[in-house]
Amino acid sequence: MKPVMAKLTGHKDHLEAAKAELIAMCPITKEYEMPSEYHGILLGQRGAGIRALCEELQITIKVPKKQENGETLNSITLKGTDDKLDNAVKVLDDRKAGYAKEAESRYLKSYQLELAVPQDFHSKLIGIGGEHITKLRDEFDVNIQMPDRSKGDSEIIKITGFQENAENAAKAVEAFCDNLMQYVIKDVQIENSVHRRIIGQRGRGVRKLMSDHQVDIKFPRNEDENKEMVRVSGPPSNVDEAIEALTALEEEFLQEVGEDEALRSEERRVG
């Protein structure tokens, strides 16, 4: 932007004061030392941090982009009136100490390890609606990234966080997989006419059964020859308990169906 010339006229005793006031109102630019590793913290999520700071300080702040060599300048550019910049420098000086601690925390939390998990276990590790993997992430305060099969690393999961947390999460995943190794699969014959009632509206019934007993339950598909065979997989004792629950529901629903049929038969006879 080209400089704009301003001409002041008036009594000579007042011109210098007017000139000083006018200069004070003009924005100036100042480079401020800010290590590049703090830039992301300053920007905040989707730039929310820097927008809030600019509004608070009533200045503009420009964070440099990476240079062609991949490096980023260890400074930021401040623009505003002289008094606003003086205040901004004081505020940023105070905040840099907090940025330093946060940058160190981010660095320590970036520890990553890789773990090979058989592909057959991935869906169980994730859990219904992501419930199990979310529980692991929250419990150990880590990020667990499932593999991208398109890249060929179909068995490798990545765990990122503080080293101790990541290692403990890895141990929990390994223990989970060891438990899966001991899983059994059992089939049980359940009257086809009550399948829908057991499954429930939008699958709520069967999801509750699986959650309560920590098992996987598969009902027959339309193309399956045996329409009454229900497959239950999981830890041996859990599978037995789930089968007991299924047969109890079958008996309860069949009894209700029988009572409904008897009532309809009676109504037809009376009618």
Side-chain angles (χ1 to χ4, degrees), residues 24-84:
M25 293 171 60
C26 296
I28 58 175
T29 300
K30 177 182 290 187
E31 293 298 312
Y32 178 82
E33 185 178 342
M34 176 74 74
S36 60
E37 58 265 31
Y38 300 173
H39 290 182
I41 303 170
L42 173 67
L43 287 166
Q45 190 172 14
R46 296 182 179 179
I50 196 169
R51 285 196 298 273
L53 188 59
C54 287
E55 185 175 346
E56 176 190 339
L57 301 176
Q58 296 181 22
I59 64 169
T60 59
I61 303 174
K62 184 178 180 181
V63 176
K65 296 181 179 180
K66 282 187 177 181
Q67 298 176 306
E68 292 183 359
N69 59 7
E71 295 182 357
T72 305
L73 296 174
N74 291 309
S75 65
I76 57 176
T77 304
L78 312 179
K79 186 176 182 180
T81 58
D82 195 48
D83 60 328
K84 300 295 185 187

Side-chain angles (χ1 to χ4, degrees), residues 132-173:
H132 186 252
I133 198 168
T134 299
K135 183 180 177 181
L136 285 172
R137 287 167 175 158
D138 293 343
E139 180 179 351
F140 296 101
D141 189 24
V142 295
N143 180 46
I144 302 176
Q145 182 182 347
M146 298 304 292
D148 184 349
R149 295 183 185 180
S150 65
K151 296 181 179 179
D153 52 351
S154 59
E155 290 196 345
I156 302 299
I157 69 169
K158 297 177 181 179
I159 303 176
T160 308
F162 292 117
Q163 182 173 352
E164 183 179 359
N165 293 5
E167 290 174 350
N168 287 336
K171 289 176 183 177
V173 171

Side-chain angles (χ1 to χ4, degrees), residues 205-221:
V206 72
R207 283 201 300 271
K208 185 176 187 306
L209 279 171
M210 290 192 290
S211 178
D212 289 347
H213 301 284
Q214 293 298 297
V215 296
D216 188 44
I217 300 174
K218 298 291 185 186
F219 281 83
R221 297 167 297 182

